Amino acid sequence: MALDSRIEKILWNEDQISRRVSELAAEITDEFRSSSTPPVFVGVAIGAFLFFADLVRKIDLPISLDFVRAQSYGSGTCSNEAPVISSDLKVNVQGRPVLLVEDIVDTGHTISSIIALLKAKGASSVSVCTFLDKPARRKVEIQPVGQGKLYRGFECPDYFIVGYGLDFAELYRNLPYIGVLKPEHYS
Ligand code: 5GP
Ligand code: MG
């Protein structure tokens, strides 16, 4: 796909994303291969929708899947300490291992709230797979539950990035790569 004229630079292109998703899928398959109960993969909408769709297609095991919805930004670039999580999971996670699939972890508030929610709903373990990890602004560490593991796609420099599911003011989610906008588009 041609570079969108609003993008200043690409951090990860389609090929790099696809290769990393395959590697993560292989590691995750190893974790759940011997699970006696099929795991529940929970995607964090909307941002993780493309990553989630790409990842689950590479998992050749019986799994259930569902979404929670988290809203941490209005139309700015600063996340919220108290993200709004809508918890209407249709799949019962009680007694089942869960893999939580997120687009990016920044301060850690959003992922921690969702981990707490899944724990409260009785998940037997919670593993976390975040496509991007932006450790520069971390406030709360990511803590998997029980035997759960932590997977990261790439470490992200401290830029506000868009594409591959991630938006700025509800635009750019459909870009197949991850990039940084030209400064004039952030205003
Ligand atoms: P946290 O609660 O960890 O601060 O923020 C996590 C959420 O903020 C992510 O799920 C994501 O939706 C959003 N977020 C964090 N950093 C970025 C970024 O660089 N770009 C975009 N578009 N969203 C981000
Ligand atoms: Mg998100």
Side-chain angles (χ1 to χ4, degrees):
M1 184 188 252
L3 181 61
D4 187 291
S5 62
R6 300 165 298 183
I7 295 286
E8 180 164 273
K9 66 172 170 180
I10 292 185
L11 298 182
W12 294 282
N13 65 30
E14 285 186 76
D15 280 352
Q16 292 167 315
I17 291 172
S18 158
R19 265 183 269 129
R20 191 66 188 116
V21 174
S22 298
E23 290 169 1
L24 290 167
E27 288 178 46
I28 290 165
T29 299
D30 277 349
E31 177 184 345
F32 292 111
R33 197 189 308 281
S34 55
S35 179
S36 51
T37 321
V40 185
F41 283 27
V42 175
V44 184
I46 303 173
F49 84 106
L50 289 179
F51 174 46
F52 194 66
D54 286 347
L55 184 72
V56 296
R57 279 182 287 181
K58 292 178 173 166
I59 306 286
D60 189 15
L61 294 173
I63 63 172
S64 304
L65 44 98
D66 206 341
F67 284 97
V68 289
R69 196 166 170 153
Q71 213 173 3
S72 27
Y73 288 83
S75 53
T77 62
C78 260
S79 65
N80 190 328
E81 285 205 6
V84 180
I85 313 292
S86 80
S87 62
D88 55 342
L89 283 173
K90 301 286 183 293
V91 175
N92 185 357
V93 299
Q94 171 76 43
R96 294 177 69 180
V98 169
L99 178 82
L100 180 56
V101 180
E102 177 60 304
D103 50 7
I104 184 165
V105 176
D106 185 14
T107 63
H109 286 298
T110 304
I111 203 83
S112 303
S113 305
I114 302 171
I115 292 170
L117 176 85
L118 293 165
K119 197 174 170 183
K121 286 184 178 286
S124 58
S125 65
V126 181
S127 290
V128 176
C129 180
T130 184
F131 192 59
L132 299 174
D133 184 17
K134 211 198 258 183
R137 305 192 324 141
R138 188 65 30 83
K139 295 270 167 45
V140 191
E141 281 317 310
I142 309 170
Q143 295 205 305
V145 176
Q147 300 296 302
K149 297 188 174 152
L150 176 58
Y151 305 91
R152 307 164 217 249
F154 297 108
E155 182 169 322
C156 184
D158 192 12
Y159 295 120
F160 190 84
I161 49 116
V162 297
Y164 197 54
L166 288 149
D167 73 310
F168 173 64
E170 296 302 337
L171 292 171
Y172 313 102
R173 291 194 195 275
N174 58 317
L175 298 179
Y177 47 79
I178 292 169
V180 182
L181 288 178
K182 291 177 181 164
E184 64 265 32
H185 296 293
Y186 283 121
S187 44

Short mmCIF file of all heavy atoms in Angstrom, two decimals, residues 44-48 70 72-73 101-105 110 114 166 173, ligand 2:
data_model
loop_
_atom_site.label_atom_id
_atom_site.label_comp_id
_atom_site.label_asym_id
_atom_site.label_seq_id
_atom_site.Cartn_x
_atom_site.Cartn_y
_atom_site.Cartn_z
N VAL A 44 -9.07 -6.54 23.08
CA VAL A 44 -9.49 -5.25 23.60
C VAL A 44 -9.87 -4.36 22.40
O VAL A 44 -9.01 -3.95 21.62
CB VAL A 44 -8.39 -4.58 24.46
CG1 VAL A 44 -8.92 -3.28 25.07
CG2 VAL A 44 -7.92 -5.54 25.56
N ALA A 45 -11.18 -4.14 22.27
CA ALA A 45 -11.68 -3.36 21.14
C ALA A 45 -11.59 -1.86 21.48
O ALA A 45 -11.67 -1.50 22.64
CB ALA A 45 -13.13 -3.76 20.87
N ILE A 46 -11.43 -0.98 20.54
CA ILE A 46 -11.38 -1.33 19.13
C ILE A 46 -9.93 -1.58 18.69
O ILE A 46 -9.67 -2.33 17.76
CB ILE A 46 -11.96 -0.15 18.27
CG1 ILE A 46 -13.37 0.17 18.72
CG2 ILE A 46 -11.94 -0.50 16.80
CD1 ILE A 46 -13.93 1.43 18.02
N GLY A 47 -8.99 -0.96 19.38
CA GLY A 47 -7.62 -0.90 18.89
C GLY A 47 -6.99 -2.21 18.48
O GLY A 47 -6.24 -2.28 17.52
N ALA A 48 -7.31 -3.31 19.21
CA ALA A 48 -6.63 -4.58 18.94
C ALA A 48 -7.32 -5.40 17.85
O ALA A 48 -6.92 -6.54 17.61
CB ALA A 48 -6.53 -5.40 20.23
N ALA A 70 -12.54 -1.01 25.70
CA ALA A 70 -11.92 -0.07 26.62
C ALA A 70 -11.82 1.27 25.94
O ALA A 70 -11.52 1.36 24.75
CB ALA A 70 -10.52 -0.54 26.99
N SER A 72 -9.85 4.73 26.59
CA SER A 72 -8.94 5.45 27.48
C SER A 72 -8.65 6.87 27.00
O SER A 72 -8.13 7.68 27.75
CB SER A 72 -7.64 4.69 27.67
OG SER A 72 -7.36 3.88 26.59
N TYR A 73 -8.98 7.16 25.75
CA TYR A 73 -8.73 8.50 25.23
C TYR A 73 -10.04 9.11 24.79
O TYR A 73 -10.92 8.39 24.34
CB TYR A 73 -7.86 8.44 23.96
CG TYR A 73 -6.43 8.07 24.22
CD1 TYR A 73 -6.06 6.74 24.35
CD2 TYR A 73 -5.47 9.05 24.32
CE1 TYR A 73 -4.75 6.39 24.58
CE2 TYR A 73 -4.15 8.71 24.55
CZ TYR A 73 -3.80 7.39 24.68
OH TYR A 73 -2.51 7.06 24.90
N VAL A 101 -5.60 -9.88 24.66
CA VAL A 101 -4.88 -9.40 23.47
C VAL A 101 -5.09 -7.89 23.31
O VAL A 101 -6.22 -7.44 23.09
CB VAL A 101 -5.37 -10.15 22.20
CG1 VAL A 101 -4.63 -9.64 20.96
CG2 VAL A 101 -5.18 -11.65 22.37
N GLU A 102 -4.00 -7.15 23.45
CA GLU A 102 -4.09 -5.68 23.45
C GLU A 102 -3.22 -5.11 22.33
O GLU A 102 -2.26 -5.74 21.88
CB GLU A 102 -3.66 -5.19 24.84
CG GLU A 102 -3.59 -3.70 25.05
CD GLU A 102 -4.89 -2.93 24.84
OE1 GLU A 102 -5.48 -3.04 23.74
OE2 GLU A 102 -5.29 -2.18 25.74
N ASP A 103 -3.56 -3.90 21.88
CA ASP A 103 -2.77 -3.26 20.84
C ASP A 103 -1.47 -2.67 21.40
O ASP A 103 -0.38 -2.91 20.87
CB ASP A 103 -3.58 -2.17 20.12
CG ASP A 103 -4.27 -1.19 21.06
OD1 ASP A 103 -4.05 -1.25 22.30
OD2 ASP A 103 -5.05 -0.35 20.57
N ILE A 104 -1.58 -1.91 22.49
CA ILE A 104 -0.41 -1.22 23.01
C ILE A 104 -0.59 -0.96 24.51
O ILE A 104 -1.70 -0.67 24.95
CB ILE A 104 -0.17 0.11 22.23
CG1 ILE A 104 1.12 0.82 22.68
CG2 ILE A 104 -1.35 1.05 22.32
CD1 ILE A 104 1.57 1.92 21.71
N VAL A 105 0.47 -1.13 25.26
CA VAL A 105 0.44 -0.79 26.68
C VAL A 105 1.32 0.43 26.89
O VAL A 105 2.50 0.44 26.51
CB VAL A 105 0.90 -1.96 27.57
CG1 VAL A 105 0.95 -1.53 29.03
CG2 VAL A 105 -0.04 -3.15 27.40
N THR A 110 -4.93 0.68 31.59
CA THR A 110 -6.00 -0.05 30.89
C THR A 110 -5.83 -1.56 31.06
O THR A 110 -6.76 -2.26 31.49
CB THR A 110 -6.00 0.31 29.38
OG1 THR A 110 -6.12 1.72 29.25
CG2 THR A 110 -7.14 -0.37 28.66
N ILE A 114 -8.28 -4.40 33.08
CA ILE A 114 -8.91 -5.55 32.41
C ILE A 114 -8.44 -6.86 33.03
O ILE A 114 -9.22 -7.80 33.20
CB ILE A 114 -8.67 -5.51 30.88
CG1 ILE A 114 -9.21 -4.20 30.31
CG2 ILE A 114 -9.34 -6.69 30.20
CD1 ILE A 114 -8.84 -3.94 28.87
N LEU A 166 -4.88 1.23 15.50
CA LEU A 166 -4.76 2.37 16.42
C LEU A 166 -5.20 3.66 15.75
O LEU A 166 -4.84 3.93 14.60
CB LEU A 166 -3.31 2.50 16.88
CG LEU A 166 -2.89 1.40 17.85
CD1 LEU A 166 -1.42 1.08 17.71
CD2 LEU A 166 -3.21 1.83 19.27
N ARG A 173 -7.29 3.92 11.71
CA ARG A 173 -7.27 2.54 12.20
C ARG A 173 -7.04 1.54 11.06
O ARG A 173 -6.54 0.44 11.28
CB ARG A 173 -8.61 2.17 12.87
CG ARG A 173 -8.87 2.89 14.18
CD ARG A 173 -10.02 2.20 14.90
NE ARG A 173 -10.58 2.99 15.98
CZ ARG A 173 -10.11 3.01 17.24
NH1 ARG A 173 -9.06 2.30 17.56
NH2 ARG A 173 -10.70 3.75 18.15
MG MG B 2 -6.20 -0.44 23.28
#
